[in-house]
Amino acid sequence: LLKERLNIHGKLGCVLCIIGSTVVVVEAPEEQVVTTMDAFIARLQDGFFISYSVFVLLLTFIFIWHFAPLYGNKNMLFYITICSVIGSLSVMGCKGLGIAIKLTLSGENQLTRAATWMLVAVVAMCIVTQMNYLNRALDVFNTSLVTPIYYVMFTGSTILASFILFKDWQRMNARSVIGSLCGFFTIVSGVFLLQFFKDVELPKDMFKTVSLNGCLQQVQQLLGWSSCSSCDSLESGRRTRGTVKEECVRLHDVDRESESEEEIFTRSSMNGTSHLNTPSSS
């Protein structure tokens, strides 16, 4: 529909991002179920989550007021970072609103509490900021690049925020930690391929025009060898075969010419002999 295409590096990066995200989600521990607003607000007031929230706000303000105006149109990571980290806070706020709505529908009115309306304001501001910078990224950069990178960074930020809010590390064993780290570095590898190799295009006929001798010479250059006996032997053999073939063709043509000349000479000799042996009419 948008006529946008990914190169081979971009496709490989998307696959790595999906695999890494799947591994992280599979290895993530189950969240603790919070059923009351008091319990949720107590978690929001935890020192680890407050530190994370302050870090996100500072990072967002620095990017919005300094880096995004200068480099936002050159590198998509500035816009997408703002969307991702702010989006993680909006997801946590939506969880609190979900609890408040559920309790209100069950008969315990939460609309009279100031914490509910604070969550509404936080979620609204985060969503407006998130959508604003996501649309900027989509306007400037290729959608096929923005979408997977935003998906990865937003998912990672949300998992990190949930990890801090619900203290998931207390329920993780060594296997889960190693699996999550492997998934995270797989995601980083995919984002690296998407971002830094987005303009690299491989020639379509590169595999058709590359010869064995060319491959050996490239290996020789990469390894820093001063000479390569395989390459020399291959080239010498190829030249020898070509020379022998040309020589055979030339000799064959010479033999044919010689045979033709001998046949002509033989015929001439036979005709002369027949004239000499014929008696005169007198």
Side-chain angles (χ1 to χ4, degrees):
L1 181 62
L2 298 177
K3 297 181 179 181
E4 297 176 346
R5 299 180 61 186
L6 287 173
N7 56 17
I8 185 64
H9 302 91
K11 294 176 182 178
L12 180 60
C14 289
V15 173
L16 289 176
C17 290
I18 295 173
I19 293 175
S21 301
T22 304
V23 172
V24 170
V25 172
V26 169
E27 296 296 336
E30 296 182 1
E31 289 186 359
Q32 291 183 354
V33 179
V34 180
T35 57
T36 63
M37 282 295 294
D38 292 333
F40 185 78
I41 293 173
R43 293 185 179 278
L44 292 179
Q45 294 175 348
D46 183 76
F48 288 103
F49 187 77
I50 291 176
S51 300
Y52 173 77
S53 301
V54 171
F55 170 77
V56 167
L57 293 177
L58 289 176
L59 181 67
T60 303
F61 285 138
I62 292 173
F63 273 36
I64 289 175
W65 295 108
H66 181 69
F67 290 104
L70 294 177
Y71 310 108
N73 293 332
K74 300 178 182 178
N75 194 320
M76 70 179 74
L77 292 180
F78 293 102
Y79 288 153
I80 296 179
T81 301
I82 295 172
C83 301
S84 302
V85 295
I86 286 294
S88 65
L89 294 182
S90 66
V91 171
M92 299 302 105
C94 288
K95 288 186 177 183
L97 288 179
I99 296 173
I101 293 173
K102 182 179 179 180
L103 292 175
T104 301
L105 294 177
S106 64
E108 300 180 16
N109 188 9
Q110 302 294 320
L111 299 179
T112 58
R113 303 187 60 166
T116 302
W117 295 105
M118 290 180 62
L119 289 175
V120 171
V122 169
V123 170
M125 289 188 293
C126 290
I127 291 177
V128 169
T129 304
Q130 184 179 358
M131 293 297 102
N132 179 26
Y133 285 93
L134 179 59
N135 288 329
R136 291 189 184 187
L138 292 172
D139 290 339
V140 176
F141 301 100
N142 193 331
T143 306
S144 58
L145 292 175
V146 173
T147 303
I149 294 177
Y150 172 67
Y151 160 74
V152 170
M153 296 186 67
F154 175 72
T155 304
S157 300
T158 303
I159 292 175
L160 178 61
S162 178
F163 186 82
I164 295 174
L165 181 64
F166 296 99
K167 294 183 173 60
D168 292 332
W169 66 83
Q170 297 178 351
R171 302 185 304 279
M172 294 181 68
N173 53 24
R175 176 181 175 276
S176 299
V177 173
I178 294 174
S180 299
L181 290 176
C182 291
F184 173 75
F185 286 113
T186 304
I187 293 172
V188 171
S189 301
V191 173
F192 179 81
L193 285 176
L194 281 168
Q195 176 64 18
F196 294 97
F197 292 91
K198 58 185 178 182
D199 298 325
V200 177
E201 291 291 344
L202 297 178
K204 296 181 180 180
D205 57 344
M206 67 171 299
F207 297 106
K208 297 180 181 179
T209 59
V210 174
S211 62
L212 177 60
N213 188 30
C215 292
L216 292 175
Q217 290 178 354
Q218 290 179 2
V219 172
Q220 175 186 357
Q221 294 176 357
L222 289 175
L223 296 179
W225 293 346
S226 58
S227 63
C228 180
S229 58
S230 300
C231 297
D232 296 338
S233 301
L234 178 64
E235 184 66 20
S236 177
R238 186 175 64 180
R239 291 178 180 176
T240 303
R241 288 193 298 271
T243 303
V244 171
K245 182 179 179 181
E246 293 174 359
E247 187 67 19
C248 289
V249 173
R250 188 183 67 80
L251 292 175
H252 181 69
D253 294 338
V254 171
D255 291 340
R256 291 182 61 183
E257 292 176 359
S258 301
E259 290 176 359
S260 300
E261 292 177 356
E262 290 177 358
E263 289 177 0
I264 294 172
F265 180 76
T266 303
R267 290 175 183 176
S268 300
S269 300
M270 292 177 64
N271 292 332
T273 304
S274 62
H275 285 297
L276 292 174
N277 295 331
T278 303
S280 60
S281 57
S282 59

